[in-house]
Amino acid sequence: MPDETISVIDNRTGRRYEIPIRDGAIGAADLQKITTDGPAAGLMSYDPAFLNTASCRSAITYIDGERGILRYRGYPIEELAQHSTFLDVAYLLIQGELPDATQRDEWVDKITHHTLLHENIKKLIDGFHHDAHPMGVLIGVVGALSTFYPDAKEIGKADSRRLQILRLIAKMPTIAAFAYRHAIGMPYAYPDNDLTYAGNFLNMMWKATELKYRPNAVLEHALDVLLILHADHEQNCSANVMRAVGSAHSDPFSATAAAAAALYGPLHGGANEHVLRMLREVGSVSRVPEYVKRVRSGEMKLMGFGHRVYKNFDPRAKIIKQVADQVLEVTGKSPLLDIATELERVALQDDYFIKHRLYPNVDFYSGIIYLAIGFPVEMFPVLFAIGRTPGWLAQWQEGLLDPEQKIARPRQIYTGPAERHLPGVRAVAGTSAG
Ligand code: CMC
């Protein structure tokens, strides 16, 4: 028995139990020994949205929501955003340490040389409607990649896991850009190995007839920073899906497709797209107070505001605001930024938002930057998915290698009817609750 325990008296039976506390948590399975000896099983904990349930041990990302702290493998997000590249951060998340010069060269070289897609994937993308949402295309194509790489099923082999990780990080921008080019009827632009990860993505998005696409350095850097900010966020909805699917030993392409599907939702990675739609709906700075009033009355939520863990500020939102200024200096001012700034100002002074501790989150300003760079709103969640891929893969691998993990299988509290029988059918002896 560890030194720290909690004593529980079950008032139904008068029995007392000692439950061990490890790392500030009690094991939910330990509650099972609390029982009335009746037909029901032992005590369960009920936590439908994992509000206070740790589902794993993790050494990847640390968040302190009260103090607005976000660290990847111990490094503050502010330092990484300022001094690292997205591929360094991807290495850090997956390997646990930043790469040295040799490791970096090898890592970048490998990712650069896995960016191509099998030509049949182009036919798959061609099959989508011209107005198919690129996030739907991304989810479908990433899932389909598992059929192109059957070796991805060898999840127990470190070499295979590493190869799939390289493939996924490398191919996500290519899938995303191809989905966009398909929608606008442009020929697919192939990867350019001379460019950085972010620069090459811009190339695949916008290269037209020029022989060589040269990305704007400020926009390329801004995109790289945004990818860093999105790279991981511990046990968020999509990471939880990635781990749950991974726990069934599905291949990482299938698991990533599932995680991307979770990210697509408007309450998660789809929020940045909805922020832009909302800013357009507000329409002008003068209409902001009226809009905030409608939010207060419960008519709708203010998209890009609020967070399950950050209750004072989202550190990513602070960094993004600075990046927005740099980008808008290049691209010209956006009237939507004025509306967003006013919305933030009004909301932060409003009783409702103060009482509910609602602050701008990462998605509030990221959409304005994406739009200024030239991405259509439908691409916003796709950009989030590209950034989040290393985080998903780090979470997936950590879960697989954790001896305490098993297939994810929550309990439930059954609320349906008691046993009953079809008309004219007699209960089989022994099955009836009587
Ligand atoms: N606008 C207005 N009211 C809000 C908002 C909002 N954006 N967010 C939460 N509330 C209210 C909510 O109605 C509830 O009020 P009450 O207690 O009176 O019923 C209270 O605040 C608590 O909200 P909740 O939905 O129980 O909080 P949660 O922790 O379950 O939800 C959230 C977190 C991010 C889903 C939610 O704040 C939200 O829907 N925000 C808008 C969507 C958004 O911006 N999502 C991006 C999140 S950051 C990127 C990511 O990690 O994916």
PDB file of all heavy atoms in Angstrom, residues 72 86 93 172 226-227 229-239 256 259 263 268 316 362 381-395:
ATOM      1  N   TYR A  72       5.865  21.345 -24.415  1.00  0.00           N
ATOM      2  CA  TYR A  72       6.076  20.060 -25.087  1.00  0.00           C
ATOM      3  C   TYR A  72       7.363  19.453 -24.524  1.00  0.00           C
ATOM      4  O   TYR A  72       8.426  20.069 -24.610  1.00  0.00           O
ATOM      5  CB  TYR A  72       6.271  20.237 -26.594  1.00  0.00           C
ATOM      6  CG  TYR A  72       5.115  20.826 -27.381  1.00  0.00           C
ATOM      7  CD1 TYR A  72       5.354  21.435 -28.611  1.00  0.00           C
ATOM      8  CD2 TYR A  72       3.795  20.771 -26.933  1.00  0.00           C
ATOM      9  CE1 TYR A  72       4.324  21.967 -29.374  1.00  0.00           C
ATOM     10  CE2 TYR A  72       2.764  21.312 -27.683  1.00  0.00           C
ATOM     11  CZ  TYR A  72       3.034  21.910 -28.901  1.00  0.00           C
ATOM     12  OH  TYR A  72       2.017  22.449 -29.656  1.00  0.00           O
ATOM     13  N   PHE A  86       8.934  23.570 -37.087  1.00  0.00           N
ATOM     14  CA  PHE A  86       7.885  22.565 -36.880  1.00  0.00           C
ATOM     15  C   PHE A  86       8.472  21.148 -36.916  1.00  0.00           C
ATOM     16  O   PHE A  86       8.099  20.305 -36.108  1.00  0.00           O
ATOM     17  CB  PHE A  86       6.797  22.717 -37.947  1.00  0.00           C
ATOM     18  CG  PHE A  86       5.756  21.633 -37.888  1.00  0.00           C
ATOM     19  CD1 PHE A  86       4.925  21.498 -36.791  1.00  0.00           C
ATOM     20  CD2 PHE A  86       5.613  20.724 -38.931  1.00  0.00           C
ATOM     21  CE1 PHE A  86       3.969  20.489 -36.730  1.00  0.00           C
ATOM     22  CE2 PHE A  86       4.657  19.720 -38.879  1.00  0.00           C
ATOM     23  CZ  PHE A  86       3.838  19.601 -37.769  1.00  0.00           C
ATOM     24  N   LEU A  93       8.415  15.804 -30.076  1.00  0.00           N
ATOM     25  CA  LEU A  93       7.208  15.156 -29.565  1.00  0.00           C
ATOM     26  C   LEU A  93       7.323  13.637 -29.682  1.00  0.00           C
ATOM     27  O   LEU A  93       6.961  12.905 -28.769  1.00  0.00           O
ATOM     28  CB  LEU A  93       5.980  15.642 -30.339  1.00  0.00           C
ATOM     29  CG  LEU A  93       5.539  17.081 -30.067  1.00  0.00           C
ATOM     30  CD1 LEU A  93       4.481  17.515 -31.076  1.00  0.00           C
ATOM     31  CD2 LEU A  93       5.001  17.223 -28.640  1.00  0.00           C
ATOM     32  N   MET A 172       0.786  14.422 -45.209  1.00  0.00           N
ATOM     33  CA  MET A 172      -0.403  15.225 -44.861  1.00  0.00           C
ATOM     34  C   MET A 172      -0.486  16.523 -45.680  1.00  0.00           C
ATOM     35  O   MET A 172      -1.546  16.827 -46.240  1.00  0.00           O
ATOM     36  CB  MET A 172      -0.423  15.558 -43.361  1.00  0.00           C
ATOM     37  CG  MET A 172      -0.723  14.389 -42.461  1.00  0.00           C
ATOM     38  SD  MET A 172      -2.361  13.680 -42.702  1.00  0.00           S
ATOM     39  CE  MET A 172      -3.277  14.498 -41.446  1.00  0.00           C
ATOM     40  N   LEU A 226       2.429  28.481 -36.677  1.00  0.00           N
ATOM     41  CA  LEU A 226       1.072  27.986 -36.418  1.00  0.00           C
ATOM     42  C   LEU A 226       1.061  26.464 -36.307  1.00  0.00           C
ATOM     43  O   LEU A 226       0.354  25.891 -35.471  1.00  0.00           O
ATOM     44  CB  LEU A 226       0.114  28.445 -37.523  1.00  0.00           C
ATOM     45  CG  LEU A 226      -0.265  29.925 -37.421  1.00  0.00           C
ATOM     46  CD1 LEU A 226      -1.009  30.377 -38.659  1.00  0.00           C
ATOM     47  CD2 LEU A 226      -1.120  30.181 -36.201  1.00  0.00           C
ATOM     48  N   LEU A 227       1.852  25.808 -37.123  1.00  0.00           N
ATOM     49  CA  LEU A 227       1.914  24.343 -37.043  1.00  0.00           C
ATOM     50  C   LEU A 227       2.498  23.920 -35.690  1.00  0.00           C
ATOM     51  O   LEU A 227       2.026  22.958 -35.074  1.00  0.00           O
ATOM     52  CB  LEU A 227       2.755  23.772 -38.193  1.00  0.00           C
ATOM     53  CG  LEU A 227       2.180  23.971 -39.610  1.00  0.00           C
ATOM     54  CD1 LEU A 227       3.144  23.430 -40.665  1.00  0.00           C
ATOM     55  CD2 LEU A 227       0.814  23.306 -39.771  1.00  0.00           C
ATOM     56  N   LEU A 229       2.276  25.568 -32.871  1.00  0.00           N
ATOM     57  CA  LEU A 229       1.272  25.826 -31.822  1.00  0.00           C
ATOM     58  C   LEU A 229       0.191  24.748 -31.786  1.00  0.00           C
ATOM     59  O   LEU A 229      -0.425  24.499 -30.756  1.00  0.00           O
ATOM     60  CB  LEU A 229       0.612  27.190 -32.028  1.00  0.00           C
ATOM     61  CG  LEU A 229       1.525  28.409 -31.982  1.00  0.00           C
ATOM     62  CD1 LEU A 229       0.715  29.680 -32.124  1.00  0.00           C
ATOM     63  CD2 LEU A 229       2.322  28.447 -30.681  1.00  0.00           C
ATOM     64  N   HIS A 230      -0.044  24.116 -32.945  1.00  0.00           N
ATOM     65  CA  HIS A 230      -1.103  23.106 -33.006  1.00  0.00           C
ATOM     66  C   HIS A 230      -0.580  21.688 -32.804  1.00  0.00           C
ATOM     67  O   HIS A 230      -1.356  20.730 -32.820  1.00  0.00           O
ATOM     68  CB  HIS A 230      -1.812  23.186 -34.366  1.00  0.00           C
ATOM     69  CG  HIS A 230      -2.759  24.341 -34.465  1.00  0.00           C
ATOM     70  ND1 HIS A 230      -2.441  25.511 -35.082  1.00  0.00           N
ATOM     71  CD2 HIS A 230      -4.017  24.498 -33.996  1.00  0.00           C
ATOM     72  CE1 HIS A 230      -3.463  26.347 -34.998  1.00  0.00           C
ATOM     73  NE2 HIS A 230      -4.440  25.757 -34.345  1.00  0.00           N
ATOM     74  N   ALA A 231       0.748  21.537 -32.614  1.00  0.00           N
ATOM     75  CA  ALA A 231       1.352  20.199 -32.737  1.00  0.00           C
ATOM     76  C   ALA A 231       0.854  19.184 -31.709  1.00  0.00           C
ATOM     77  O   ALA A 231       0.786  17.988 -32.007  1.00  0.00           O
ATOM     78  CB  ALA A 231       2.875  20.316 -32.688  1.00  0.00           C
ATOM     79  N   ASP A 232       0.572  19.623 -30.488  1.00  0.00           N
ATOM     80  CA  ASP A 232      -0.003  18.662 -29.529  1.00  0.00           C
ATOM     81  C   ASP A 232      -0.748  19.432 -28.455  1.00  0.00           C
ATOM     82  O   ASP A 232      -0.473  20.623 -28.235  1.00  0.00           O
ATOM     83  CB  ASP A 232       1.077  17.780 -28.892  1.00  0.00           C
ATOM     84  CG  ASP A 232       0.443  16.587 -28.180  1.00  0.00           C
ATOM     85  OD1 ASP A 232      -0.375  15.895 -28.817  1.00  0.00           O
ATOM     86  OD2 ASP A 232       0.725  16.351 -26.991  1.00  0.00           O
ATOM     87  N   HIS A 233      -1.667  18.776 -27.813  1.00  0.00           N
ATOM     88  CA  HIS A 233      -2.398  19.430 -26.729  1.00  0.00           C
ATOM     89  C   HIS A 233      -2.903  18.395 -25.751  1.00  0.00           C
ATOM     90  O   HIS A 233      -4.067  18.378 -25.377  1.00  0.00           O
ATOM     91  CB  HIS A 233      -3.538  20.288 -27.284  1.00  0.00           C
ATOM     92  CG  HIS A 233      -3.749  21.517 -26.490  1.00  0.00           C
ATOM     93  ND1 HIS A 233      -4.951  21.948 -26.064  1.00  0.00           N
ATOM     94  CD2 HIS A 233      -2.850  22.413 -26.003  1.00  0.00           C
ATOM     95  CE1 HIS A 233      -4.812  23.060 -25.370  1.00  0.00           C
ATOM     96  NE2 HIS A 233      -3.543  23.351 -25.320  1.00  0.00           N
ATOM     97  N   GLU A 234      -2.033  17.532 -25.361  1.00  0.00           N
ATOM     98  CA  GLU A 234      -2.271  16.359 -24.489  1.00  0.00           C
ATOM     99  C   GLU A 234      -3.601  15.663 -24.795  1.00  0.00           C
ATOM    100  O   GLU A 234      -3.918  15.462 -25.955  1.00  0.00           O
ATOM    101  CB  GLU A 234      -1.973  16.668 -23.010  1.00  0.00           C
ATOM    102  CG  GLU A 234      -2.618  17.904 -22.402  1.00  0.00           C
ATOM    103  CD  GLU A 234      -3.547  17.579 -21.256  1.00  0.00           C
ATOM    104  OE1 GLU A 234      -4.472  16.755 -21.450  1.00  0.00           O
ATOM    105  OE2 GLU A 234      -3.382  18.198 -20.164  1.00  0.00           O
ATOM    106  N   GLN A 235      -4.429  15.338 -23.805  1.00  0.00           N
ATOM    107  CA  GLN A 235      -5.542  14.411 -24.077  1.00  0.00           C
ATOM    108  C   GLN A 235      -6.803  15.138 -24.557  1.00  0.00           C
ATOM    109  O   GLN A 235      -7.874  15.056 -23.957  1.00  0.00           O
ATOM    110  CB  GLN A 235      -5.837  13.572 -22.829  1.00  0.00           C
ATOM    111  CG  GLN A 235      -4.620  12.819 -22.313  1.00  0.00           C
ATOM    112  CD  GLN A 235      -3.845  12.126 -23.411  1.00  0.00           C
ATOM    113  OE1 GLN A 235      -4.418  11.408 -24.234  1.00  0.00           O
ATOM    114  NE2 GLN A 235      -2.528  12.316 -23.446  1.00  0.00           N
ATOM    115  N   ASN A 236      -6.673  15.852 -25.663  1.00  0.00           N
ATOM    116  CA  ASN A 236      -7.840  16.514 -26.260  1.00  0.00           C
ATOM    117  C   ASN A 236      -8.689  15.466 -26.983  1.00  0.00           C
ATOM    118  O   ASN A 236      -8.312  14.292 -27.084  1.00  0.00           O
ATOM    119  CB  ASN A 236      -7.372  17.609 -27.208  1.00  0.00           C
ATOM    120  CG  ASN A 236      -6.453  17.040 -28.260  1.00  0.00           C
ATOM    121  OD1 ASN A 236      -6.903  16.569 -29.294  1.00  0.00           O
ATOM    122  ND2 ASN A 236      -5.158  17.021 -27.986  1.00  0.00           N
ATOM    123  N   CYS A 237      -9.800  15.915 -27.533  1.00  0.00           N
ATOM    124  CA  CYS A 237     -10.762  14.973 -28.122  1.00  0.00           C
ATOM    125  C   CYS A 237     -10.106  14.080 -29.188  1.00  0.00           C
ATOM    126  O   CYS A 237     -10.236  12.855 -29.161  1.00  0.00           O
ATOM    127  CB  CYS A 237     -11.926  15.778 -28.701  1.00  0.00           C
ATOM    128  SG  CYS A 237     -13.170  14.794 -29.519  1.00  0.00           S
ATOM    129  N   SER A 238      -9.367  14.671 -30.132  1.00  0.00           N
ATOM    130  CA  SER A 238      -8.812  13.851 -31.222  1.00  0.00           C
ATOM    131  C   SER A 238      -7.656  12.968 -30.757  1.00  0.00           C
ATOM    132  O   SER A 238      -7.496  11.839 -31.248  1.00  0.00           O
ATOM    133  CB  SER A 238      -8.382  14.730 -32.398  1.00  0.00           C
ATOM    134  OG  SER A 238      -7.465  15.710 -31.995  1.00  0.00           O
ATOM    135  N   ALA A 239      -6.849  13.447 -29.792  1.00  0.00           N
ATOM    136  CA  ALA A 239      -5.768  12.608 -29.265  1.00  0.00           C
ATOM    137  C   ALA A 239      -6.366  11.404 -28.547  1.00  0.00           C
ATOM    138  O   ALA A 239      -5.847  10.280 -28.619  1.00  0.00           O
ATOM    139  CB  ALA A 239      -4.891  13.413 -28.307  1.00  0.00           C
ATOM    140  N   THR A 256      -5.223   7.697 -37.535  1.00  0.00           N
ATOM    141  CA  THR A 256      -5.093   9.135 -37.829  1.00  0.00           C
ATOM    142  C   THR A 256      -6.345   9.653 -38.543  1.00  0.00           C
ATOM    143  O   THR A 256      -6.795  10.778 -38.300  1.00  0.00           O
ATOM    144  CB  THR A 256      -3.826   9.401 -38.687  1.00  0.00           C
ATOM    145  OG1 THR A 256      -2.703   8.910 -37.961  1.00  0.00           O
ATOM    146  CG2 THR A 256      -3.641  10.877 -38.975  1.00  0.00           C
ATOM    147  N   ALA A 259      -8.809  10.214 -35.844  1.00  0.00           N
ATOM    148  CA  ALA A 259      -8.480  11.412 -35.056  1.00  0.00           C
ATOM    149  C   ALA A 259      -8.845  12.671 -35.851  1.00  0.00           C
ATOM    150  O   ALA A 259      -9.394  13.634 -35.300  1.00  0.00           O
ATOM    151  CB  ALA A 259      -6.993  11.418 -34.700  1.00  0.00           C
ATOM    152  N   LEU A 263     -11.292  15.853 -35.066  1.00  0.00           N
ATOM    153  CA  LEU A 263     -10.833  17.249 -35.183  1.00  0.00           C
ATOM    154  C   LEU A 263     -11.762  18.085 -36.059  1.00  0.00           C
ATOM    155  O   LEU A 263     -11.878  19.295 -35.904  1.00  0.00           O
ATOM    156  CB  LEU A 263      -9.414  17.271 -35.774  1.00  0.00           C
ATOM    157  CG  LEU A 263      -8.697  18.607 -35.731  1.00  0.00           C
ATOM    158  CD1 LEU A 263      -8.258  18.942 -34.312  1.00  0.00           C
ATOM    159  CD2 LEU A 263      -7.503  18.627 -36.654  1.00  0.00           C
ATOM    160  N   HIS A 268     -14.110  21.400 -31.910  1.00  0.00           N
ATOM    161  CA  HIS A 268     -12.684  21.071 -31.777  1.00  0.00           C
ATOM    162  C   HIS A 268     -11.940  21.828 -32.890  1.00  0.00           C
ATOM    163  O   HIS A 268     -11.967  23.056 -32.925  1.00  0.00           O
ATOM    164  CB  HIS A 268     -12.565  19.538 -31.871  1.00  0.00           C
ATOM    165  CG  HIS A 268     -11.236  18.968 -31.498  1.00  0.00           C
ATOM    166  ND1 HIS A 268     -10.225  19.682 -30.932  1.00  0.00           N
ATOM    167  CD2 HIS A 268     -10.744  17.690 -31.623  1.00  0.00           C
ATOM    168  CE1 HIS A 268      -9.186  18.895 -30.715  1.00  0.00           C
ATOM    169  NE2 HIS A 268      -9.467  17.671 -31.137  1.00  0.00           N
ATOM    170  N   ARG A 316      -1.323  29.945 -26.543  1.00  0.00           N
ATOM    171  CA  ARG A 316      -1.165  29.895 -27.999  1.00  0.00           C
ATOM    172  C   ARG A 316      -1.807  31.120 -28.645  1.00  0.00           C
ATOM    173  O   ARG A 316      -1.317  31.652 -29.639  1.00  0.00           O
ATOM    174  CB  ARG A 316      -1.799  28.608 -28.551  1.00  0.00           C
ATOM    175  CG  ARG A 316      -1.199  27.352 -27.957  1.00  0.00           C
ATOM    176  CD  ARG A 316      -2.039  26.129 -28.261  1.00  0.00           C
ATOM    177  NE  ARG A 316      -3.402  26.231 -27.745  1.00  0.00           N
ATOM    178  CZ  ARG A 316      -4.368  25.359 -27.990  1.00  0.00           C
ATOM    179  NH1 ARG A 316      -4.127  24.322 -28.751  1.00  0.00           N
ATOM    180  NH2 ARG A 316      -5.568  25.520 -27.468  1.00  0.00           N
ATOM    181  N   VAL A 362      -6.923  29.348 -29.205  1.00  0.00           N
ATOM    182  CA  VAL A 362      -5.998  29.323 -30.341  1.00  0.00           C
ATOM    183  C   VAL A 362      -6.709  29.605 -31.669  1.00  0.00           C
ATOM    184  O   VAL A 362      -6.128  30.170 -32.596  1.00  0.00           O
ATOM    185  CB  VAL A 362      -5.264  27.959 -30.378  1.00  0.00           C
ATOM    186  CG1 VAL A 362      -6.215  26.822 -30.711  1.00  0.00           C
ATOM    187  CG2 VAL A 362      -4.091  27.953 -31.324  1.00  0.00           C
ATOM    188  N   PRO A 381      -9.485  23.698 -40.861  1.00  0.00           N
ATOM    189  CA  PRO A 381      -9.292  22.488 -40.043  1.00  0.00           C
ATOM    190  C   PRO A 381      -8.234  21.559 -40.621  1.00  0.00           C
ATOM    191  O   PRO A 381      -7.569  20.821 -39.882  1.00  0.00           O
ATOM    192  CB  PRO A 381     -10.677  21.826 -40.033  1.00  0.00           C
ATOM    193  CG  PRO A 381     -11.469  22.492 -41.094  1.00  0.00           C
ATOM    194  CD  PRO A 381     -10.864  23.833 -41.349  1.00  0.00           C
ATOM    195  N   VAL A 382      -8.051  21.618 -41.936  1.00  0.00           N
ATOM    196  CA  VAL A 382      -7.019  20.787 -42.580  1.00  0.00           C
ATOM    197  C   VAL A 382      -5.626  21.231 -42.113  1.00  0.00           C
ATOM    198  O   VAL A 382      -4.754  20.406 -41.822  1.00  0.00           O
ATOM    199  CB  VAL A 382      -7.146  20.895 -44.119  1.00  0.00           C
ATOM    200  CG1 VAL A 382      -6.019  20.164 -44.799  1.00  0.00           C
ATOM    201  CG2 VAL A 382      -8.496  20.376 -44.577  1.00  0.00           C
ATOM    202  N   LEU A 383      -5.449  22.552 -42.013  1.00  0.00           N
ATOM    203  CA  LEU A 383      -4.166  23.074 -41.534  1.00  0.00           C
ATOM    204  C   LEU A 383      -3.921  22.638 -40.089  1.00  0.00           C
ATOM    205  O   LEU A 383      -2.809  22.282 -39.705  1.00  0.00           O
ATOM    206  CB  LEU A 383      -4.167  24.599 -41.631  1.00  0.00           C
ATOM    207  CG  LEU A 383      -4.123  25.121 -43.065  1.00  0.00           C
ATOM    208  CD1 LEU A 383      -4.712  26.508 -43.170  1.00  0.00           C
ATOM    209  CD2 LEU A 383      -2.699  25.112 -43.570  1.00  0.00           C
ATOM    210  N   PHE A 384      -4.975  22.667 -39.310  1.00  0.00           N
ATOM    211  CA  PHE A 384      -4.892  22.206 -37.918  1.00  0.00           C
ATOM    212  C   PHE A 384      -4.457  20.736 -37.904  1.00  0.00           C
ATOM    213  O   PHE A 384      -3.579  20.328 -37.141  1.00  0.00           O
ATOM    214  CB  PHE A 384      -6.277  22.390 -37.270  1.00  0.00           C
ATOM    215  CG  PHE A 384      -6.333  22.315 -35.773  1.00  0.00           C
ATOM    216  CD1 PHE A 384      -7.348  22.957 -35.065  1.00  0.00           C
ATOM    217  CD2 PHE A 384      -5.396  21.607 -35.030  1.00  0.00           C
ATOM    218  CE1 PHE A 384      -7.427  22.904 -33.683  1.00  0.00           C
ATOM    219  CE2 PHE A 384      -5.466  21.544 -33.640  1.00  0.00           C
ATOM    220  CZ  PHE A 384      -6.486  22.189 -32.973  1.00  0.00           C
ATOM    221  N   ALA A 385      -5.036  19.942 -38.790  1.00  0.00           N
ATOM    222  CA  ALA A 385      -4.720  18.500 -38.829  1.00  0.00           C
ATOM    223  C   ALA A 385      -3.257  18.262 -39.207  1.00  0.00           C
ATOM    224  O   ALA A 385      -2.604  17.371 -38.653  1.00  0.00           O
ATOM    225  CB  ALA A 385      -5.648  17.783 -39.817  1.00  0.00           C
ATOM    226  N   ILE A 386      -2.742  19.057 -40.148  1.00  0.00           N
ATOM    227  CA  ILE A 386      -1.327  18.893 -40.528  1.00  0.00           C
ATOM    228  C   ILE A 386      -0.453  19.146 -39.290  1.00  0.00           C
ATOM    229  O   ILE A 386       0.453  18.378 -38.979  1.00  0.00           O
ATOM    230  CB  ILE A 386      -0.939  19.872 -41.659  1.00  0.00           C
ATOM    231  CG1 ILE A 386      -1.728  19.561 -42.932  1.00  0.00           C
ATOM    232  CG2 ILE A 386       0.563  19.810 -41.931  1.00  0.00           C
ATOM    233  CD1 ILE A 386      -1.540  20.604 -44.045  1.00  0.00           C
ATOM    234  N   GLY A 387      -0.765  20.236 -38.582  1.00  0.00           N
ATOM    235  CA  GLY A 387       0.020  20.564 -37.394  1.00  0.00           C
ATOM    236  C   GLY A 387      -0.110  19.509 -36.310  1.00  0.00           C
ATOM    237  O   GLY A 387       0.856  19.187 -35.618  1.00  0.00           O
ATOM    238  N   ARG A 388      -1.292  18.959 -36.131  1.00  0.00           N
ATOM    239  CA  ARG A 388      -1.541  18.038 -35.017  1.00  0.00           C
ATOM    240  C   ARG A 388      -1.030  16.618 -35.275  1.00  0.00           C
ATOM    241  O   ARG A 388      -0.914  15.823 -34.339  1.00  0.00           O
ATOM    242  CB  ARG A 388      -3.058  18.039 -34.710  1.00  0.00           C
ATOM    243  CG  ARG A 388      -3.542  17.274 -33.496  1.00  0.00           C
ATOM    244  CD  ARG A 388      -2.849  17.641 -32.216  1.00  0.00           C
ATOM    245  NE  ARG A 388      -2.956  19.029 -31.784  1.00  0.00           N
ATOM    246  CZ  ARG A 388      -3.956  19.535 -31.060  1.00  0.00           C
ATOM    247  NH1 ARG A 388      -4.936  18.769 -30.672  1.00  0.00           N
ATOM    248  NH2 ARG A 388      -3.947  20.817 -30.680  1.00  0.00           N
ATOM    249  N   THR A 389      -0.685  16.313 -36.516  1.00  0.00           N
ATOM    250  CA  THR A 389      -0.296  14.927 -36.841  1.00  0.00           C
ATOM    251  C   THR A 389       0.865  14.405 -35.978  1.00  0.00           C
ATOM    252  O   THR A 389       0.768  13.291 -35.446  1.00  0.00           O
ATOM    253  CB  THR A 389       0.019  14.809 -38.347  1.00  0.00           C
ATOM    254  OG1 THR A 389      -1.183  15.133 -39.055  1.00  0.00           O
ATOM    255  CG2 THR A 389       0.456  13.417 -38.736  1.00  0.00           C
ATOM    256  N   PRO A 390       1.967  15.161 -35.786  1.00  0.00           N
ATOM    257  CA  PRO A 390       3.032  14.614 -34.926  1.00  0.00           C
ATOM    258  C   PRO A 390       2.537  14.339 -33.503  1.00  0.00           C
ATOM    259  O   PRO A 390       2.953  13.352 -32.883  1.00  0.00           O
ATOM    260  CB  PRO A 390       4.103  15.705 -34.915  1.00  0.00           C
ATOM    261  CG  PRO A 390       3.790  16.615 -36.041  1.00  0.00           C
ATOM    262  CD  PRO A 390       2.334  16.477 -36.344  1.00  0.00           C
ATOM    263  N   GLY A 391       1.668  15.212 -32.995  1.00  0.00           N
ATOM    264  CA  GLY A 391       1.123  14.995 -31.648  1.00  0.00           C
ATOM    265  C   GLY A 391       0.313  13.719 -31.593  1.00  0.00           C
ATOM    266  O   GLY A 391       0.467  12.896 -30.681  1.00  0.00           O
ATOM    267  N   TRP A 392      -0.563  13.522 -32.571  1.00  0.00           N
ATOM    268  CA  TRP A 392      -1.359  12.281 -32.594  1.00  0.00           C
ATOM    269  C   TRP A 392      -0.444  11.059 -32.605  1.00  0.00           C
ATOM    270  O   TRP A 392      -0.674  10.095 -31.882  1.00  0.00           O
ATOM    271  CB  TRP A 392      -2.229  12.240 -33.857  1.00  0.00           C
ATOM    272  CG  TRP A 392      -3.410  13.156 -33.847  1.00  0.00           C
ATOM    273  CD1 TRP A 392      -4.087  13.625 -32.765  1.00  0.00           C
ATOM    274  CD2 TRP A 392      -4.065  13.711 -35.004  1.00  0.00           C
ATOM    275  NE1 TRP A 392      -5.121  14.441 -33.166  1.00  0.00           N
ATOM    276  CE2 TRP A 392      -5.136  14.508 -34.524  1.00  0.00           C
ATOM    277  CE3 TRP A 392      -3.863  13.612 -36.373  1.00  0.00           C
ATOM    278  CZ2 TRP A 392      -5.998  15.195 -35.379  1.00  0.00           C
ATOM    279  CZ3 TRP A 392      -4.705  14.295 -37.232  1.00  0.00           C
ATOM    280  CH2 TRP A 392      -5.758  15.079 -36.742  1.00  0.00           C
ATOM    281  N   LEU A 393       0.610  11.138 -33.439  1.00  0.00           N
ATOM    282  CA  LEU A 393       1.487   9.970 -33.578  1.00  0.00           C
ATOM    283  C   LEU A 393       2.291   9.725 -32.301  1.00  0.00           C
ATOM    284  O   LEU A 393       2.519   8.570 -31.913  1.00  0.00           O
ATOM    285  CB  LEU A 393       2.405  10.156 -34.790  1.00  0.00           C
ATOM    286  CG  LEU A 393       1.635  10.140 -36.125  1.00  0.00           C
ATOM    287  CD1 LEU A 393       2.496  10.683 -37.253  1.00  0.00           C
ATOM    288  CD2 LEU A 393       1.149   8.722 -36.453  1.00  0.00           C
ATOM    289  N   ALA A 394       2.704  10.810 -31.648  1.00  0.00           N
ATOM    290  CA  ALA A 394       3.422  10.652 -30.378  1.00  0.00           C
ATOM    291  C   ALA A 394       2.505  10.013 -29.334  1.00  0.00           C
ATOM    292  O   ALA A 394       2.903   9.104 -28.598  1.00  0.00           O
ATOM    293  CB  ALA A 394       3.932  12.011 -29.896  1.00  0.00           C
ATOM    294  N   GLN A 395       1.245  10.480 -29.298  1.00  0.00           N
ATOM    295  CA  GLN A 395       0.277   9.924 -28.336  1.00  0.00           C
ATOM    296  C   GLN A 395      -0.013   8.461 -28.660  1.00  0.00           C
ATOM    297  O   GLN A 395      -0.124   7.616 -27.767  1.00  0.00           O
ATOM    298  CB  GLN A 395      -1.035  10.727 -28.373  1.00  0.00           C
ATOM    299  CG  GLN A 395      -0.921  12.195 -28.027  1.00  0.00           C
ATOM    300  CD  GLN A 395      -0.769  12.466 -26.541  1.00  0.00           C
ATOM    301  OE1 GLN A 395      -0.962  11.582 -25.710  1.00  0.00           O
ATOM    302  NE2 GLN A 395      -0.406  13.692 -26.202  1.00  0.00           N
TER     303      GLN A 395
END
